[in-house]
Amino acid sequence: MRRPIIAGNWKLNNNAKQALELVTLLKRELSDVSKVDIVVCPVFTVLMEVSDCLIESNIDVGAQDLYWEDSGAFTGEVSAPLIKDTGAKYVIIGHSERRQFFGETNETVNKKIKAALKHGLIPIVCIGEILAEREAGETFNVIKAQCQGSFAGLSSEQMLKLVIAYEPVWAIGTGKTATPEQAQEVHKYIRELLANMFDGETSQELRIQYGGSVKPDNIKDLMAQEDIDGALVGGASLKSDSFVKLVKYYEQ
Ligand code: PGA
């Protein structure tokens, strides 16, 4: 049985005051939640404060990116050991905004996953097609290339330590969600792919989140799909009431 996971990707939002206000509310409202893993991913500058605030809570913290070297002359970068040092447990890798705006490739994603795993961080690895690729009927090919490139050289054991987030890029921040059927179709395809690349057990046990305009009013139908194990949430994770509703979907 795969345990669902709901992660809030705050992106470039929330200063220290806003971040602490938000997690203080979440901590209170979600204290009795037990059926779902909960993660918030703030900006680097508040990772430690947010982690400190969430010590002994049922909410974990994640970073939004990392660099694959541990230390050295890499101005502006943040490494896995430094993220670990803040108390964070997760790290988002390969988000489509990093692929689009910051030159992230499947090769860099692969290096980042290996660095995260080496230091005991749980990678949330994002994959997904852009609109033109979907319209050209290329979705499965894009997903295949992303999985083959991103997970190259990893063992089944390592795969089971990470989480995949399928995020159709055209659905991110657009209010345009994939239909539950569209999402399920790709999630199922990812599992088949993983069964080929690794083995059946790995593909069945690995958690695959859906992301892209997940909101309280559409979570039910998306999460009801067989191969969807939670959500990576942007906009709706910035307000406590909507994020609480998303998490509590699993507690009914
Ligand atoms: P969204 O973002 O929920 O605002 O669409 C999702 C994401 O980018 O992870």
Side-chain angles (χ1 to χ4, degrees):
M1 209 25 204
R2 297 183 298 264
R3 186 173 160 84
I5 169 168
I6 302 263
N9 172 13
W10 293 359
K11 308 191 181 185
L12 185 46
N13 295 291
N14 288 336
N15 62 23
K17 184 168 175 284
Q18 293 163 326
L20 290 177
E21 275 170 15
L22 179 52
V23 288
T24 303
L25 286 171
L26 294 179
K27 201 160 96 169
R28 199 175 62 207
E29 297 289 323
L30 298 175
S31 63
D32 55 350
V33 167
S34 61
K35 295 185 186 150
V36 50
D37 288 342
I38 314 165
V39 186
V40 292
C41 302
V43 294
F44 284 129
T45 50
V46 300
L47 267 186
M48 193 172 274
E49 273 166 291
V50 168
S51 293
D52 286 351
C53 178
L54 292 174
I55 282 176
E56 288 177 13
S57 79
N58 55 350
I59 306 175
D60 288 314
V61 177
Q64 298 175 14
D65 187 30
L66 85 170
Y67 187 59
W68 56 82
E69 295 291 347
D70 289 357
S71 62
F74 304 104
T75 303
E77 294 298 321
V78 178
S79 65
L82 295 185
I83 292 170
K84 191 83 184 156
D85 192 44
T86 67
K89 188 169 160 190
Y90 291 80
V91 58
I92 298 172
I93 298 178
H95 190 277
S96 66
E97 285 146 20
R98 299 223 58 89
R99 293 177 189 262
Q100 271 181 291
F101 307 135
F102 304 102
E104 191 85 274
T105 64
N106 295 328
E107 289 68 37
T108 57
V109 168
N110 182 252
K111 288 185 187 182
K112 290 179 178 188
I113 294 172
K114 288 174 180 162
L117 290 174
K118 183 173 147 209
H119 293 282
L121 288 169
I122 302 172
I124 297 178
V125 183
C126 303
I127 55 175
E129 80 287 359
I130 62 171
L131 186 59
E133 291 164 341
R134 173 159 286 265
E135 286 176 349
E138 286 296 318
T139 300
F140 288 170
N141 287 339
V142 171
I143 296 294
K144 187 173 180 183
Q146 288 175 336
C147 286
Q148 287 177 338
S150 304
F151 304 135
L154 296 182
S155 64
S156 300
E157 207 186 346
Q158 286 176 308
M159 286 302 290
L160 286 174
K161 295 201 171 110
L162 59 81
V163 176
I164 295 177
Y166 167 59
E167 301 202 299
V169 181
W170 47 273
I172 295 178
T174 57
K176 204 173 158 191
T177 330
T179 64
E181 294 72 29
Q182 282 174 322
Q184 167 59 21
E185 185 187 35
V186 180
H187 280 238
K188 185 161 175 276
Y189 175 74
I190 296 168
R191 273 195 216 289
E192 285 164 10
L193 197 61
L194 295 174
N196 282 328
M197 289 174 66
F198 299 93
D199 52 75
E201 202 183 320
T202 305
S203 103
Q204 280 311 308
E205 281 184 29
L206 202 149
R207 295 184 292 180
I208 310 177
Q209 298 174 300
Y210 169 78
S213 298
V214 176
K215 304 274 182 286
D217 62 3
N218 61 26
I219 189 158
K220 185 164 168 276
D221 292 341
L222 286 163
M223 299 305 121
Q225 302 299 313
E226 194 182 331
D227 289 301
I228 301 185
D229 309 313
L232 180 57
V233 185
S237 71
L238 293 174
K239 293 265 175 301
S240 65
D241 55 349
S242 48
F243 194 64
V244 165
K245 279 188 193 142
L246 294 178
V247 172
K248 290 221 165 156
Y249 158 77
Y250 279 105
E251 291 294 305
Q252 298 152 16

